[in-house]
mmCIF file of all heavy atoms in Angstrom:
data_model
loop_
_atom_site.group_PDB
_atom_site.id
_atom_site.type_symbol
_atom_site.label_atom_id
_atom_site.label_comp_id
_atom_site.label_asym_id
_atom_site.label_seq_id
_atom_site.Cartn_x
_atom_site.Cartn_y
_atom_site.Cartn_z
ATOM 1 N N ASP A 692 18.413 9.406 10.609
ATOM 2 C CA ASP A 692 19.359 9.582 11.714
ATOM 3 C C ASP A 692 19.437 8.340 12.597
ATOM 4 O O ASP A 692 20.503 7.983 13.084
ATOM 5 C CB ASP A 692 18.964 10.807 12.559
ATOM 6 C CG ASP A 692 19.246 12.106 11.819
ATOM 7 O OD1 ASP A 692 20.029 12.075 10.841
ATOM 8 O OD2 ASP A 692 18.678 13.142 12.191
ATOM 9 N N THR A 693 18.298 7.691 12.799
ATOM 10 C CA THR A 693 18.277 6.462 13.613
ATOM 11 C C THR A 693 19.170 5.386 12.999
ATOM 12 O O THR A 693 19.849 4.650 13.704
ATOM 13 C CB THR A 693 16.821 5.958 13.737
ATOM 14 O OG1 THR A 693 16.156 6.818 14.644
ATOM 15 C CG2 THR A 693 16.726 4.534 14.249
ATOM 16 N N PHE A 694 19.166 5.321 11.672
ATOM 17 C CA PHE A 694 19.928 4.263 11.001
ATOM 18 C C PHE A 694 21.315 4.738 10.535
ATOM 19 O O PHE A 694 21.933 4.093 9.698
ATOM 20 C CB PHE A 694 19.130 3.712 9.812
ATOM 21 C CG PHE A 694 17.979 2.849 10.239
ATOM 22 C CD1 PHE A 694 16.671 3.304 10.146
ATOM 23 C CD2 PHE A 694 18.196 1.576 10.738
ATOM 24 C CE1 PHE A 694 15.599 2.518 10.542
ATOM 25 C CE2 PHE A 694 17.132 0.775 11.136
ATOM 26 C CZ PHE A 694 15.839 1.237 11.045
ATOM 27 N N SER A 695 21.778 5.887 11.051
ATOM 28 C CA SER A 695 23.112 6.394 10.697
ATOM 29 C C SER A 695 23.931 6.566 11.967
ATOM 30 O O SER A 695 23.385 6.839 13.030
ATOM 31 C CB SER A 695 23.017 7.783 10.052
ATOM 32 O OG SER A 695 22.194 7.771 8.935
ATOM 33 N N HIS A 696 25.237 6.479 11.809
ATOM 34 C CA HIS A 696 26.126 6.865 12.913
ATOM 35 C C HIS A 696 26.587 8.296 12.651
ATOM 36 O O HIS A 696 27.059 8.606 11.552
ATOM 37 C CB HIS A 696 27.330 5.929 12.969
ATOM 38 C CG HIS A 696 28.399 6.416 13.878
ATOM 39 N ND1 HIS A 696 28.157 6.743 15.197
ATOM 40 C CD2 HIS A 696 29.723 6.675 13.670
ATOM 41 C CE1 HIS A 696 29.271 7.166 15.763
ATOM 42 N NE2 HIS A 696 30.233 7.141 14.850
ATOM 43 N N HIS A 697 26.439 9.145 13.648
ATOM 44 C CA HIS A 697 26.869 10.540 13.496
ATOM 45 C C HIS A 697 28.309 10.637 14.001
ATOM 46 O O HIS A 697 28.548 10.687 15.208
ATOM 47 C CB HIS A 697 25.935 11.478 14.269
ATOM 48 C CG HIS A 697 24.612 11.643 13.591
ATOM 49 N ND1 HIS A 697 23.802 12.724 13.763
ATOM 50 C CD2 HIS A 697 23.976 10.861 12.691
ATOM 51 C CE1 HIS A 697 22.725 12.606 13.012
ATOM 52 N NE2 HIS A 697 22.805 11.464 12.369
ATOM 53 N N ARG A 698 29.229 10.617 13.057
ATOM 54 C CA ARG A 698 30.651 10.544 13.429
ATOM 55 C C ARG A 698 31.218 11.955 13.566
ATOM 56 O O ARG A 698 31.194 12.727 12.599
ATOM 57 C CB ARG A 698 31.379 9.790 12.330
ATOM 58 C CG ARG A 698 32.791 9.438 12.648
ATOM 59 C CD ARG A 698 33.338 8.635 11.500
ATOM 60 N NE ARG A 698 34.623 8.080 11.773
ATOM 61 C CZ ARG A 698 35.294 7.359 10.879
ATOM 62 N NH1 ARG A 698 34.750 7.096 9.698
ATOM 63 N NH2 ARG A 698 36.487 6.887 11.161
ATOM 64 N N ALA A 699 31.708 12.261 14.751
ATOM 65 C CA ALA A 699 32.271 13.597 15.002
ATOM 66 C C ALA A 699 33.648 13.667 14.356
ATOM 67 O O ALA A 699 34.542 12.898 14.695
ATOM 68 C CB ALA A 699 32.379 13.807 16.509
ATOM 69 N N SER A 700 33.826 14.577 13.412
ATOM 70 C CA SER A 700 35.065 14.593 12.625
ATOM 71 C C SER A 700 35.735 15.957 12.687
ATOM 72 O O SER A 700 35.079 16.986 12.490
ATOM 73 C CB SER A 700 34.747 14.253 11.163
ATOM 74 O OG SER A 700 33.962 13.091 11.106
ATOM 75 N N LEU A 701 37.036 15.931 12.935
ATOM 76 C CA LEU A 701 37.830 17.166 12.932
ATOM 77 C C LEU A 701 39.015 16.914 12.003
ATOM 78 O O LEU A 701 39.774 15.955 12.202
ATOM 79 C CB LEU A 701 38.376 17.438 14.332
ATOM 80 C CG LEU A 701 37.517 18.176 15.355
ATOM 81 C CD1 LEU A 701 38.248 18.226 16.696
ATOM 82 C CD2 LEU A 701 37.208 19.592 14.893
ATOM 83 N N LEU A 702 39.188 17.735 10.998
ATOM 84 C CA LEU A 702 40.339 17.594 10.101
ATOM 85 C C LEU A 702 41.242 18.810 10.298
ATOM 86 O O LEU A 702 40.794 19.952 10.124
ATOM 87 C CB LEU A 702 39.888 17.513 8.642
ATOM 88 C CG LEU A 702 38.907 16.397 8.270
ATOM 89 C CD1 LEU A 702 38.702 16.344 6.760
ATOM 90 C CD2 LEU A 702 39.390 15.036 8.766
ATOM 91 N N SER A 703 42.499 18.527 10.645
ATOM 92 C CA SER A 703 43.424 19.624 10.940
ATOM 93 C C SER A 703 44.442 19.767 9.814
ATOM 94 O O SER A 703 44.760 18.782 9.139
ATOM 95 C CB SER A 703 44.193 19.325 12.228
ATOM 96 O OG SER A 703 43.287 19.034 13.248
ATOM 97 N N PRO A 704 45.003 20.966 9.642
ATOM 98 C CA PRO A 704 46.071 21.123 8.643
ATOM 99 C C PRO A 704 47.287 20.313 9.085
ATOM 100 O O PRO A 704 47.572 20.224 10.282
ATOM 101 C CB PRO A 704 46.379 22.624 8.660
ATOM 102 C CG PRO A 704 45.383 23.264 9.546
ATOM 103 C CD PRO A 704 44.689 22.220 10.341
ATOM 104 N N SER A 705 48.003 19.732 8.134
ATOM 105 C CA SER A 705 49.145 18.893 8.525
ATOM 106 C C SER A 705 50.331 19.754 8.954
ATOM 107 O O SER A 705 51.196 19.293 9.685
ATOM 108 C CB SER A 705 49.529 17.976 7.371
ATOM 109 O OG SER A 705 49.811 18.775 6.243
ATOM 110 N N GLY A 706 50.383 20.987 8.531
ATOM 111 C CA GLY A 706 51.512 21.864 8.866
ATOM 112 C C GLY A 706 51.175 22.788 10.030
ATOM 113 O O GLY A 706 50.422 22.431 10.930
#
Side-chain angles (χ1 to χ4, degrees):
D692 288 342
T693 286
F694 287 107
S695 303
H696 169 54
H697 286 204
R698 189 177 188 181
S700 310
L701 275 176
L702 303 187
S703 307
S705 57

